[in-house]
Amino acid sequence: MGEVLWLTAKLAGVTTLLLLVLATPLSWWLARGRSSLRTVVMAVVALPIVLPPTVLGFYLLIALGPKSPLMALLAPFGVRTLAFTFEGLVIGSLIYSLPFAAQPLRNAFLAIGDEPLEAAATLGASPWTSFWRVALPLALPGYVAAAILTFAHTVGEFGVVMMLGGNIPGETTVLSTEIYRLVEGLEWGQAHRLSLLLLVFAFTVLLALLVLESRSKILMRRDA
């Protein structure tokens, strides 16, 4: 069981760290950009929220399978397939959890407004410096929310994991798929314990987000 917990935490942790980096420029562009394509991109980013996980997992299975054109490009490097591997699960989790990182970051960048950035510009700060020294610190609550949501969502995902990774012990077996295996094997007691663990985890995550939201509102009132 320790191996399953470790693999679940590893998948969620790697996914969260990568998405906080990858979603930052995307969220900044969605919040501050002026392109007419923003609406289309926002719809694509949010698609995993409404798309059945099995559908996404099915197409990822095809894209990362041995007959995929993408894998043909990686074949010279010795990569035949990423399906049913931990690396494949990371790719699937990055796509499936993207909206849970991008949306909080976009909202945080929108909440900053124009005044702090304009003030930094009048003091001679470059756009790059303004982002790092002004926007990023002000958006910190959004990063905390994005990290919590992404980690929790990755821990709880099942459809994408099952379709793309199967349930290979030590390689792709995480908590959600382990519960499924236990129920199939009529091991109700162990399934109940793991389900209760995820229930407590989910409640703790929601409680933490509500506390964070409450504190952010208090700080905004003080600043006003």
Side-chain angles (χ1 to χ4, degrees), residues 73-80:
L73 295 175
L74 297 178
F77 302 96
V79 180
R80 180 174 174 271

Side-chain angles (χ1 to χ4, degrees), residues 4-217:
V4 174
L5 291 171
W6 160 244
L7 195 61
T8 304
K10 180 182 176 182
L11 177 62
V14 170
T15 300
T16 300
L17 289 175
L18 289 176
L19 273 183
L20 288 180
V21 175
L22 297 174
T24 292
L26 173 62
S27 302
W28 179 258
W29 179 77
L30 289 175
R32 313 290 303 183
R34 296 292 181 266
S35 173
S36 59
L37 294 176
R38 279 195 308 159
T39 302
V40 176
V41 175
M42 286 173 61
V44 173
V45 169
L47 194 59
I49 296 177
V50 297
L51 191 68
T54 49
V55 173
L56 179 59
F58 171 71
Y59 283 114
L60 284 171
L61 181 61
I62 294 176
L64 301 180
K67 296 183 179 180
S68 165
L70 176 61
M71 291 300 101
L73 295 175
L74 297 178
F77 302 96
V79 180
R80 180 174 174 271
T81 180
L82 289 175
F84 306 108
T85 66
F86 179 79
E87 292 76 14
L89 285 188
V90 170
I91 294 174
S93 297
L94 287 174
I95 296 173
Y96 189 49
S97 295
L98 176 60
F100 295 87
Q103 294 290 0
L105 293 183
R106 174 180 174 271
N107 293 338
F109 290 142
L110 283 173
I112 293 172
D114 294 329
E115 291 184 4
L117 299 175
E118 291 173 352
T122 58
L123 295 175
S126 66
W128 184 253
T129 301
S130 297
F131 174 79
W132 280 101
R133 295 191 178 183
V134 179
L136 207 58
L138 290 175
L140 184 58
Y143 276 89
V144 175
I148 293 174
L149 282 172
T150 302
F151 190 93
H153 187 255
T154 305
V155 167
E157 68 180 80
F158 173 77
V160 171
V161 171
M162 182 59 78
M163 292 290 292
L164 183 59
N167 199 11
I168 305 172
E171 183 70 26
T172 62
T173 298
V174 294
L175 277 173
S176 58
T177 55
E178 177 66 5
I179 292 172
Y180 179 79
R181 184 193 69 80
L182 291 170
V183 171
E184 274 198 322
L186 301 180
E187 299 179 48
W188 300 102
Q190 187 66 6
H192 171 68
R193 284 188 286 271
L194 287 182
S195 298
L196 184 61
L197 175 65
L198 286 180
L199 178 62
V200 172
F201 174 73
F203 176 78
T204 304
V205 166
L206 291 175
L207 187 62
L209 287 172
L210 290 173
V211 170
L212 176 64
E213 181 182 15
S214 177
R215 289 183 177 179
S216 297
K217 288 181 179 179

